[in-house]
Amino acid sequence: MPSKLIEKTMRVNRLPHIWCPGCGHGILMRDVAQAIENCGLDPDKVVIVSGIGCSSRAAGYMNYNTLHTTHGRAIAFATGVKLANPELTVIVITGDGDATAIGGNHLIHACRRNIDLTVVVFNNNIYGMTGGQYSPTTPHGEKGTTAPYGNIDYNFDIPKLAESAGATYTARGTAFHVPQMIKLIENGIKHHGFSLIEGLSVCPTYYGRKNKKGSAVDMYNWQKENCIDAAKAQKMSAEELEGKILTGEMSRCEKPEYTDMYMEIIRKCGGDK
Amino acid sequence: MATRFHLLQGNEACVEGAIAAGMKFYAGYPITPSTEIAERSAVRLPQVGGKFIQMEDEIAGIAAALGASVAGLKAMTATSGPGFSLKQENIGYASIAEIPIVIVDVQRAGPSTGLPTSPSQGDYMQSKWGTHGDHPVIVISPSSVQECYNLTVRCFNMAERFRVPVIFLMDEIVGHLREGCELIPPEELEINNRIEGNITGMTYAVSEGNYVPEFAAFGEGERYNVTGLFHDDTGFPTNDNTITRNQERRLMDKIRMRRDRIMQWEEKDCEDADVIIVCYGGTARSVMGAMEEASKMDFLKIGMFRPITVWPFPEKALEKLSKKCKHILVAEHNNGQMLLEVQRVVKDNCPVSFIGKIDGTTLTPDDILTKITEVY
């Protein structure tokens, strides 16, 4: 029996989902749904836009207006939806490859515009759908099927990338730290401007197996032990923070929002009459 | 826009036609020789309560326009050769997800960066075969500034009515040509809108008497799924062979079965012509010049057959003419693309010759008359 939340927010007849046993994406998808619920939004006015990849299959399971687009282009489609009808709450679910490799240009420019989208990146550090190739977030030195001798690329820090491109809310959570992740997404939705929340996922099938990370449980335990809330980290020494990943709200500021500014242009041109 | 008659560029007339048709959203990226379409859209759309956005690249231009269309607005994007190549993947997405959109391609000489400011018709085949996989295609090509206005309205009508991407295949010649243009007000035009309906879970089912699924904009309470994967009538992905086959067939048939209503062409002096010149877009202006020259001297009788919907190609009409005339000359600003379509249709009914130009200059009436004396 599905829980009340699942019954209400998911297309139960589309379940079970396609994700592998142990994958973190299901947890992150539930977090997004819970955050939408916590915001008290009318589901008819919520649009979920996704691209291509494991993460992007989430759209099909979620009981909102869902747009499963082409690889890398989710944020560009979402920009059109939001500008066409600013009354809609537009949430993008994307992956590390979808958002920062093939879709990297759309990501930074949406940040720059400060258009009111909430982008949740399910980061599993690998291309899962195609079988384990290295992505822009595969850590330096780790392996993928296309990095058999170790990855010589350096990886992106996604919230930092978004912040420097102009995003007015950035955060990082994990699949393990559920209450924190829900709160971060909730805050992102409530923030009036471009929000980016990175959700560290877990891919035991490809990333974990290729890099000897143990079982799915081992990988969640790793998140538990190595991800430190940014607020707590302030009281910790540099030594204690060595090799740790900071989570929580990373940055926030207020700036006029894109669709508001466009509506002002329409008013000035007399197009609202 | 107080008076009806204006001196306009083809690109500007295209925007005015789009606004008359009800365009409320434009997203694109600057590219010569189509940029004036973006510029005028940026000025005009907010005046009519519409939205313009300059995106970060060509792909984002069509993606944002498709997003706006799903949210219920009539949407357009415009580009030229290199940008048209970049937009191809999402043209396929619009086809399978059945999202109305108008894509304007003001052709320039290519391949690659080519000659950015020079006329060409090198995208004729690409406009049909550019995106991967089999998909329905409507491509319309104007020859005058007035047609840039009127036919943009028709592009929107077809995109909305059939839920397909419609390609408006302009070229540098008509795009930058300045002529008088009558801005016919919307109330005097036929304007079609998408068929809206209460789709209740059967997003892609075609109801009795309709030939496309009814449409509901995001936000109106239907909460459905849109995907580029093959999908069933509920809009969710499937690998089922029968469903896939049926969906593909329905997508193709909605255009194929209505070709006769969609196809448009012009026949000029074809009745007793010795030689018929097949041409489209800006090239037709050179052909009309050649016909005028020929009429002033003792020359062969020349007719012109001009497809306006270049896809689907008006094959029956041309086949009929090819049985009456003595020779067909195809004139294009490329190395012979529509030529292949003409040869397929004409078969052995009469000889088919070709004149083309790809050096950045325009075919002149003299070029055409000289060619006729060579081949006939």
Side-chain angles (χ1 to χ4, degrees):
Chain A
M1 275 291 285
S3 70
K4 275 186 188 154
L5 177 77
I6 299 299
E7 192 109 273
K8 188 170 175 201
T9 61
M10 298 292 155
R11 292 160 169 151
V12 176
N13 64 344
R14 305 304 310 172
L15 297 171
H17 57 63
I18 62 160
W19 295 312
C20 304
C23 174
H25 285 7
I27 302 170
L28 293 171
M29 174 171 76
R30 185 194 173 282
D31 294 345
V32 174
Q34 183 69 66
I36 293 169
E37 278 299 294
N38 292 357
C39 291
L41 299 172
D42 173 359
D44 288 347
K45 302 290 178 197
V46 175
V47 179
I48 308 278
V49 186
S50 69
I52 295 293
C54 294
S55 62
S56 295
R57 283 305 187 97
Y61 305 123
M62 302 182 76
N63 196 7
Y64 305 96
N65 304 281
T66 56
L67 186 59
H68 178 226
T69 68
T70 45
H71 195 22
R73 316 304 168 201
I75 294 173
F77 275 80
T79 298
V81 173
K82 182 70 187 178
L83 183 55
N85 184 359
E87 302 291 304
L88 301 172
T89 299
V90 182
I91 299 167
V92 176
I93 294 180
T94 174
D96 39 315
D98 196 54
T100 69
I102 190 165
N105 200 30
H106 310 310
L107 170 67
I108 57 174
H109 288 274
C111 291
R112 179 175 65 80
R113 287 185 195 105
N114 194 35
I115 186 164
D116 188 15
L117 303 176
T118 303
V119 176
V120 186
V121 184
F122 291 10
N123 177 8
N124 60 1
N125 308 104
I126 204 90
Y127 285 93
M129 189 71 94
T130 45
Q133 298 74 35
Y134 69 97
S135 85
T137 60
T138 302
H140 183 76
E142 300 227 303
K143 288 179 180 169
T145 58
T146 45
Y149 310 110
N151 175 25
I152 56 173
D153 284 16
Y154 293 99
N155 56 298
F156 272 137
D157 178 326
I158 302 175
K160 253 188 200 166
L161 171 71
E163 184 192 352
S164 59
T168 47
Y169 174 92
T170 66
R172 180 187 291 121
T174 82
F176 178 82
H177 300 87
V178 169
Q180 180 196 40
M181 186 68 196
I182 294 168
K183 191 72 196 160
L184 293 171
I185 300 169
E186 197 184 317
N187 290 346
I189 294 170
K190 286 177 181 161
H191 176 73
H192 191 58
F194 188 91
S195 322
L196 178 131
I197 303 100
E198 176 185 21
L200 295 178
S201 190
V202 152
C203 176
T205 304
Y206 292 113
Y207 177 72
R209 200 169 43 161
K210 268 273 166 214
N211 292 291
K212 302 193 166 41
K213 301 289 183 192
S215 67
V217 174
D218 293 333
M219 293 178 80
Y220 287 106
N221 276 328
W222 187 91
Q223 288 192 341
K224 180 184 171 188
E225 280 149 26
N226 292 283
C227 296
I228 313 281
D229 189 281
K232 264 191 212 157
Q234 285 182 344
K235 294 171 199 152
M236 292 166 68
S237 69
E239 274 164 15
E240 286 172 307
L241 287 172
E242 180 69 30
K244 306 288 185 203
I245 294 172
L246 295 190
T247 58
E249 190 175 300
M250 299 282 136
S251 71
R252 181 201 279 271
C253 68
E254 298 296 327
K255 233 188 333 192
E257 191 272 334
Y258 188 86
T259 62
D260 288 346
M261 291 189 286
Y262 201 90
M263 290 311 289
E264 192 48 41
I265 291 176
I266 292 178
R267 270 190 290 277
K268 276 184 195 158
C269 295
D272 55 334
K273 288 175 193 111
Chain B
M1 295 294 142
T3 61
R4 289 171 75 109
F5 295 92
H6 293 259
L7 179 65
L8 290 180
Q9 213 183 42
N11 283 343
E12 296 166 340
C14 168
V15 175
E16 292 305 324
I19 286 174
M23 171 174 74
K24 285 287 185 289
F25 194 94
Y26 179 99
Y29 188 80
I31 183 167
T32 305
S34 77
T35 307
E36 295 85 359
I37 297 177
E39 289 173 336
R40 198 173 181 97
S41 296
V43 173
R44 294 283 285 128
L45 275 169
Q47 295 173 350
V48 296
K51 319 270 172 74
F52 167 91
I53 185 169
Q54 181 172 310
M55 295 299 287
E56 53 276 10
D57 59 35
E58 295 281 0
I59 300 170
I62 183 168
L66 288 169
S69 185
V70 172
L73 301 187
K74 290 188 180 180
M76 182 169 94
T77 185
T79 188
S80 182
F84 193 50
S85 297
L86 286 165
K87 290 187 196 298
Q88 292 299 331
E89 185 193 7
N90 279 336
I91 293 175
Y93 183 81
S95 298
I96 196 167
E98 297 183 74
I99 305 172
I101 184 173
V102 176
I103 301 125
V104 185
D105 174 19
V106 187
Q107 297 168 91
R108 70 189 216 188
S112 189
T113 311
L115 293 168
T117 58
S118 298
S120 160
Q121 294 179 312
D123 305 351
Y124 174 71
M125 281 295 174
Q126 190 190 14
S127 70
K128 174 163 173 134
W129 300 110
T131 194
H132 59 282
D134 289 292
H135 57 282
V137 177
I138 299 177
V139 184
I140 296 178
S141 185
S143 289
S144 66
V145 172
Q146 188 66 55
E147 278 194 348
C148 288
Y149 183 83
N150 295 17
L151 293 176
T152 301
V153 176
R154 192 153 194 262
C155 287
F156 272 94
N157 285 349
M158 299 222 172
E160 297 290 318
R161 197 36 84 77
F162 293 111
R163 292 186 62 169
V164 287
V166 173
I167 291 158
F168 197 38
L169 195 66
M170 294 173 57
D171 52 55
E172 195 277 336
I173 299 172
V174 285
H176 283 163
L177 182 68
R178 280 185 189 278
E179 292 183 305
C181 180
E182 182 184 7
L183 301 182
I184 307 160
E187 53 277 15
E188 293 173 34
L189 293 164
E190 184 193 337
I191 307 284
N192 297 154
N193 297 314
R194 54 192 80 171
I195 304 161
E196 291 182 11
N198 190 10
I199 55 181
T200 52
M202 296 300 278
T203 320
Y204 287 96
V206 179
S207 62
E208 187 85 17
N210 267 338
Y211 44 87
V212 291
E214 288 156 15
F215 178 91
F218 270 15
E220 287 176 1
E222 294 285 352
R223 272 196 265 160
Y224 59 96
N225 187 51
V226 179
T227 178
L229 289 160
F230 272 104
H231 44 269
D232 59 18
D233 283 353
T234 65
F236 289 97
T238 178
N239 289 334
D240 183 292
N241 304 134
T242 309
I243 294 172
T244 302
R245 193 163 53 240
N246 289 344
Q247 193 201 3
E248 175 67 20
R249 189 178 300 150
R250 183 176 68 69
L251 289 178
M252 299 304 287
D253 279 357
K254 71 179 175 183
I255 302 305
R256 198 176 59 85
M257 311 276 277
R258 284 160 197 84
R259 266 181 307 186
D260 292 340
R261 264 170 56 191
I262 294 167
M263 283 187 299
Q264 240 191 336
W265 66 92
E266 182 192 3
E267 289 177 22
K268 193 173 159 66
D269 302 341
C270 285
E271 267 312 298
D272 54 351
D274 299 310
V275 178
I276 290 176
I277 306 174
V278 179
C279 59
Y280 56 98
T283 310
R285 303 306 287 266
S286 304
V287 171
M288 285 189 252
M291 290 169 79
E292 208 180 308
E293 290 294 310
S295 69
K296 289 181 205 155
M297 48 187 179
D298 182 24
F299 201 81
L300 301 161
K301 284 187 175 159
I302 307 175
M304 177 180 78
F305 180 80
R306 178 172 72 92
I308 295 170
T309 49
V310 295
W311 298 110
F313 186 76
E315 51 187 50
K316 278 185 204 155
L318 180 64
E319 191 193 6
K320 220 163 114 186
L321 290 174
S322 70
K323 288 175 180 161
K324 290 200 293 187
C325 71
K326 297 181 184 123
H327 200 104
I328 285 178
L329 174 69
V330 181
E332 297 180 84
H333 284 93
N334 57 40
N335 266 333
Q337 296 193 13
M338 188 183 274
L339 171 67
L340 302 172
E341 198 61 9
V342 173
Q343 286 169 333
R344 182 183 70 77
V345 170
V346 173
K347 297 192 178 71
D348 295 328
N349 295 343
C350 73
V352 175
S353 309
F354 176 74
I355 181 166
K357 242 186 191 180
I358 49 158
D359 60 2
T361 61
T362 312
L363 279 172
T364 64
D366 264 1
D367 292 335
I368 292 164
L369 293 179
T370 308
K371 186 74 187 182
I372 290 174
T373 52
E374 278 169 27
V375 299
Y376 183 75

